[in-house]
Amino acid sequence: MTAEPTQCTVVQDRFGREPSGYRDTVIPAARPAVQSLPAYRPGKGAAQAEKEHGITNAIKLASNENPEPPLDAIVAAVTRAAEGAHRYADHRATAVRERLASWLGVNVEGVTVGSGSVGLLQQLFLTYIDAGDEVVYPWRSFEVYPVYTKLMGGKEVTSPLNAAHSFDLDALAQAITPSTRMVLLATPNNPTGTALRVSEMRDLLAGISPSTVVVIDEAYREFLDPSFGDPVHELVPHFPNVVVTRTFSKAHGLAGIRAGYAIGHPEVIASIDKTLFPFAVSALAQAAAIAAIDAEEQINERVGRILGERARVISALKGAGWTLPDAQANFVYLPLAGDADAIYFEMEKRGVVTRPFSNEGIRITIGSVQENDRFLRTLAEVAKPR
Ligand SMILES: *Cc1c(COP(=O)(O)O)cnc(C)c1O
């Protein structure tokens, strides 16, 4: 039986809408906080740069990713987990927490797992920031801090970095007042690569109210000189207001998997846990996290290769006459002021995609040996050392 096509008369509903099309309709307005949000700008991919410039062979040194693909053992664990993907994963990621706790030497109640450390950062904002609350962070720093602050309707209070593109502790201490609800310290800092010593953080904490949450964002922990100290063992046990966030995205090469963790006082951790949206940490991410901890030795070897390349890139840059801030993560930062955009663009046209910060500088991820050589060659073509 074939149905006769029905003749449709255009009728308007009581809001004046016609059955098809968006003509003359009212679009729901986003919350003012959302309307004012800058969109998070991820680093540009190599494929996009190739398309934009009509080139081939572009390399991406823009997102601080690991140049090496995940270890075979991690891929195998993720594949096994995928076989059970018709089931929801453990919402609390209990096995990961237990493994993390014994690995880190902390109590299991003091550790939680999130959808990347940016997931945990968002949970921290959801947990502690009401409209109008003050959030303090040095600037320039990680770009999600202003995004999350605005999203919650919080008040952004920034303190400048010093002339060496590092933390200005006096300026930071001045920006923090009893009405500060949260302080965010990315150390090593993104994008400058400079880091804070635990002793400096301890001095800062002495002047911070115990009701202010202090987030120490250690996404690049594994690349940091160990002499800077370990806030998980040296600060968390003494300061219940300190939360340390870490990730499997950078050193462990699992950026696409989304697994991060946080260490803090059990009550703080329990509060953060309430804001995890259901099943945010996938079964694949949980399997990858455990496999990554199991493979610590091989991960350390990879980190060692990146540190070796970082040292080589730094000495090549310094040898050529460049001055750059202390690089404690898996990237280097070139302060270029007003020339940042032009130099970024010239390198991108030549297939080397880095991360520009308009009128400030560019951040270049340490990649493979070949990628780093190409960056150094290309930079020499397009910019005079300064
Ligand atoms: C890359 C980065 C993160 C984290 O990332 P996830 O992939 O969400 O774990 C967090 N903080 C800073 C400062 C970063 O640069």
Side-chain angles (χ1 to χ4, degrees), residues 64 115-119 121 142 145 186 190 217 219-220 247 249-250 258-259:
N64 301 337
S115 180
S117 51
V118 297
L121 288 168
F142 191 30
Y145 303 160
N190 178 1
D217 178 346
Y220 301 99
T247 182
S249 294
K250 309 279 163 60
R258 316 305 306 130

Side-chain angles (χ1 to χ4, degrees), residues 166-326:
S166 192
F167 297 84
D168 181 335
L169 292 166
D170 293 333
L172 194 53
Q174 261 177 34
I176 302 166
T177 70
S179 54
T180 304
R181 192 79 174 107
M182 187 187 284
V183 178
L184 295 148
L185 302 169
T187 175
N189 187 42
N190 178 1
T192 57
T194 47
L196 271 174
R197 299 189 170 278
V198 161
S199 55
E200 295 170 312
M201 293 188 249
R202 194 184 288 117
D203 290 347
L204 199 61
L205 282 160
I208 298 179
S209 158
S211 56
T212 302
V213 182
V214 179
V215 180
I216 301 174
D217 178 346
E218 287 202 308
Y220 301 99
R221 163 92 212 161
E222 295 83 356
F223 306 106
L224 174 69
D225 182 333
S227 73
F228 277 74
D230 181 352
V232 166
H233 293 109
E234 297 173 60
L235 298 179
V236 170
H238 309 289
F239 297 93
N241 57 331
V242 169
V243 181
V244 178
T245 58
R246 293 182 179 171
T247 182
F248 291 101
S249 294
K250 309 279 163 60
H252 302 83
L254 297 172
I257 283 277
R258 316 305 306 130
Y261 55 102
I263 304 100
H265 188 277
E267 281 182 39
V268 171
I269 295 297
S271 297
I272 300 172
D273 278 344
K274 291 183 184 171
T275 64
L276 180 73
F277 74 78
F279 312 109
V281 187
S282 75
L284 280 57
Q286 295 187 32
I290 290 173
I293 298 170
D294 287 342
E296 184 176 12
E297 220 168 287
Q298 284 160 286
I299 299 289
N300 288 344
E301 281 168 23
R302 293 179 158 211
V303 168
R305 284 198 280 279
I306 292 169
L307 293 183
E309 276 301 285
R310 185 180 76 189
R312 187 176 73 86
V313 168
I314 290 171
S315 75
L317 289 170
K318 286 189 173 163
W322 286 95
T323 313
L324 63 162
D326 186 31

